[in-house]
């Protein structure tokens, strides 16, 4: 299943897991929020509060992350 999310960052935290850097992000998408984790190879530097992201998922796994302009 393919899914695309667009929304603003409500929370962002850096996590190091076995030496790899991940971002734990809470994204506001319309009326709902979604918690996502993705590696820093998808987006660098780290996402900031209020920033808008477009996140594409395949079978619930992040496949692409892009910064987008505020709508």
């Amino acid at each position: 299943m393919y899914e695309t999310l667009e929304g603003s960052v409500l929370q962002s935290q850096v996590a190091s897991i076995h030496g790899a850097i991940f971002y734990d992000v809470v994204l506001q998408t319309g009326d709902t929020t979604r918690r996502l984790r993705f590696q820093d190879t998808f987006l660098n530097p780290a996402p900031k509060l209020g920033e808008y992201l477009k996140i594409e998922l395949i079978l619930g796994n992040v496949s692409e992350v892009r910064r987008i302009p505020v709508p």
Side-chain angles (χ1 to χ4, degrees):
M1 183 170 119
Y2 179 80
E3 184 178 13
T4 300
L5 303 172
E6 289 186 13
S8 65
V9 176
L10 295 179
Q11 295 177 4
S12 177
Q13 184 174 354
V14 176
S16 177
I17 302 172
H18 301 294
I21 303 299
F22 290 84
Y23 303 131
D24 290 326
V25 173
V26 176
L27 196 68
Q28 178 74 47
T29 59
D31 295 336
T32 63
T33 58
R34 292 281 301 265
R35 288 189 183 275
L36 301 155
R37 174 179 282 167
F38 54 88
Q39 198 165 359
D40 68 337
T41 55
F42 287 107
L43 188 73
N44 205 354
K48 298 177 184 164
L49 298 179
E51 187 170 51
Y52 277 75
L53 300 178
K54 181 176 185 175
I55 301 176
E56 296 181 11
L57 300 102
I58 298 174
L59 297 174
N61 296 302
V62 174
S63 62
E64 186 175 347
V65 180
R66 284 180 272 150
R67 289 179 166 89
I68 58 173
V70 177

